[in-house]
Amino acid sequence: KRAMPLTQSYLDPKPQSLERSFAATGWTPRFDEVRRSDATTKARDAWQRKLYFKHFLMGDPSGWRAFLVEHVLAEVLRDEPMALVKNRFPYKLRHAEHHILWSRGSDILPQDRVTGTLKKLLAEREFVWYENPAPTMQSDLSRHFHVFVKRQTS
């Protein structure tokens, strides 16, 4: 019996593409999963408000976004061009873990480079990814990609 090839690829984030991918794999995120739960959204909003007010009190109300980018560069990427981290505020996924791949710089990265980097980082794990369609955290200094990794069963 021949083993099925691993799913390790770009995923089109359009609703119909997400549904087609789930029908084919049984684990990739469905359209109704690519959003946070109410509790996770509240936690994320509270965290962002805390940052906003800290910078507002320092006289720089728009500085919280710059702070987040600086945090990504200093604490996540460090000296690396790319880094994969578990999403602090993940989507409500049934069959996958939610990670974020951060990249240094604002250049658009070819799909094969992102996929190749993820293959090195995730080895024999199955994954799909897409760049955030609403680039809320993109800047001249960094970009980020949502990475969904198939949950391992015991």
Side-chain angles (χ1 to χ4, degrees):
K1 184 176 175 182
R2 217 170 116 200
M4 294 291 293
L6 292 177
T7 301
Q8 297 180 316
S9 63
Y10 169 78
L11 176 64
D12 183 341
K14 292 184 187 97
Q16 63 274 24
S17 298
L18 294 171
E19 293 302 319
R20 268 195 308 271
S21 178
F22 178 79
T25 66
W27 69 266
T28 57
R30 300 185 78 161
F31 177 67
D32 69 338
E33 294 181 295
V34 290
R35 57 192 47 80
R36 291 175 180 88
S37 69
D38 290 343
T40 302
T41 298
K42 285 179 186 174
R44 190 231 23 216
D45 292 350
W47 182 74
Q48 287 181 338
R49 269 193 309 279
K50 183 177 170 184
L51 286 177
Y52 173 80
F53 285 120
K54 176 182 174 186
H55 285 273
F56 181 80
L57 293 172
M58 293 178 356
D60 183 16
S62 64
W64 73 275
R65 282 197 187 273
F67 169 81
L68 288 177
V69 171
E70 289 170 19
H71 167 76
V72 166
L73 293 173
E75 302 297 323
V76 178
L77 286 166
R78 297 186 177 114
D79 294 327
E80 299 298 322
M82 298 176 123
L84 183 68
V85 295
K86 276 201 150 210
N87 191 338
R88 183 177 189 161
F89 303 107
Y91 294 161
K92 53 179 189 174
L93 305 170
R94 292 184 280 275
H95 307 290
E97 302 165 3
H98 189 184
H99 298 260
I100 300 291
L101 178 68
W102 290 97
S103 74
R104 185 178 298 281
S106 62
D107 294 341
I108 294 173
L109 300 175
Q111 288 182 13
D112 60 340
R113 179 166 175 215
V114 175
T115 300
T117 297
L118 289 168
K119 283 180 178 181
K120 288 178 191 167
L121 294 171
L122 294 168
E124 295 300 312
R125 299 219 35 212
E126 293 194 77
F127 66 84
V128 292
W129 67 272
Y130 60 75
E131 187 163 10
N132 195 21
T136 52
M137 291 299 300
Q138 253 71 301
S139 77
D140 293 345
L141 303 174
S142 70
R143 302 179 79 84
H144 80 279
F145 307 85
H146 291 272
V147 180
F148 307 100
V149 180
K150 183 179 180 182
R151 289 193 197 282
Q152 293 182 318
T153 56
S154 37

